[in-house]
Amino acid sequence: MAFSDARFDVNLSILFTELPLLERPAAAAAAGFTALSVPGEESERFRANVEVAADFAQSLGCTALNALYGNRLDGIDPAVQDALALENLTLAARAAHRIGATLLIEALNAPESPRCPIVSAPKAVEVVQAVNAATGLDNARFLMDLYHLARNGEDLEAVIDRYTPLTGHVQIADSPGRGAPGTGTLPLEGLLDRLRTNGYAGWIGLEYQPGDAPSADAFAWLPRPQRATTAP
């Protein structure tokens, strides 16, 4: 697999988990990756820490922040939960705007996250548009995770063709299994080519499980020079 035109980063919440958190960035860098990501937060703690998280992201030069929608809670009207989520995401979008960053809204997959309300590309894009309408800032974007969308049974080519203009970040893992490219059946190289043809030139996040081997051994599919590709 060449993946010659893509830029890759590593999600340290799923790769290099055999190491303590503070040791993971150095391990990813040792494996040849020069871009690193920062995780996010959740409701009252989310509100209390969103500005701190934004400042932290700014200090690291991080320009895209993933704000997970959250899960459904029993005994509370879903409409009330959705209203609260929109309030929180609006706050996050404004904090992201303050540091010149994009707020990312991700669709998960129903089999693995059955209580998450956002389990399709159209639903995630609906939330993106609601946040942008609420803030007027137009800095919310879709986080297109091809593994999650595949597990949902979505037509990945159609999703790419329709939603690339609203996409702020892309993540990949092969399916089934959520392993490295080549361990499943997804035509990831072709899908990334299609994204590029549709105008996506951003980073490709590697969010796959390394299997039983150390994470540093899970990148054989990607030639080392391509792990440090700089922005075009």
Side-chain angles (χ1 to χ4, degrees), residues 118-148:
I118 304 182
V119 288
S120 73
K123 181 60 179 178
V125 169
E126 177 186 317
V127 174
V128 166
Q129 293 171 330
V131 172
N132 285 334
T135 65
L137 299 174
D138 194 38
N139 70 326
R141 290 293 181 270
F142 176 37
L143 196 169
M144 185 187 293
D145 187 307
L146 297 180
Y147 168 77
H148 287 310

Side-chain angles (χ1 to χ4, degrees), residues 12-30:
L12 299 180
S13 69
I14 192 168
L15 281 160
F16 294 101
T17 56
E18 68 272 21
L19 298 174
L21 178 61
L22 295 181
E23 295 180 17
R24 295 177 200 172

Side-chain angles (χ1 to χ4, degrees), residues 70-214:
N71 293 321
R72 285 285 185 236
L73 298 175
D74 294 331
I76 302 176
D77 185 346
V80 172
Q81 296 180 51
D82 289 337
L84 176 60
L86 181 57
E87 286 181 25
N88 286 341
L89 292 174
T90 297
L91 289 172
R94 289 178 175 143
H97 177 74
R98 177 174 63 79
I99 65 167
T102 298
L103 184 77
L104 300 173
I105 308 296
E106 181 178 10
L108 303 183
N109 73 78
E112 294 176 345
S113 303
R115 301 182 71 84
C116 179
I118 304 182
V119 288
S120 73
K123 181 60 179 178
V125 169
E126 177 186 317
V127 174
V128 166
Q129 293 171 330
V131 172
N132 285 334
T135 65
L137 299 174
D138 194 38
N139 70 326
R141 290 293 181 270
F142 176 37
L143 196 169
M144 185 187 293
D145 187 307
L146 297 180
Y147 168 77
H148 287 310
L149 301 180
R151 287 297 310 273
N152 285 328
E154 296 186 62
D155 182 333
L156 298 183
E157 292 186 351
V159 167
I160 289 169
D161 290 345
R162 184 173 183 183
Y163 296 124
T164 295
L166 283 172
T167 297
H169 187 56
V170 173
Q171 294 179 167
I172 63 170
D174 216 330
S175 181
R178 201 172 189 174
T183 60
T185 60
L186 290 185
L188 287 169
E189 189 169 6
L191 293 171
L192 296 188
D193 285 344
R194 196 178 192 96
L195 273 160
R196 189 170 185 85
T197 298
N198 276 273
Y200 181 78
W203 292 96
I204 307 298
L206 304 180
E207 199 182 49
Y208 59 80
Q209 295 168 340
D212 296 331

Side-chain angles (χ1 to χ4, degrees), residues 11 33 48 58 65 70 87 170 180 183 197 209 211 219 228 230-231:
N11 188 309
F33 294 93
Q58 184 179 37
L65 307 176
E87 286 181 25
V170 173
T183 60
T197 298
Q209 295 168 340
F219 306 109
T230 57

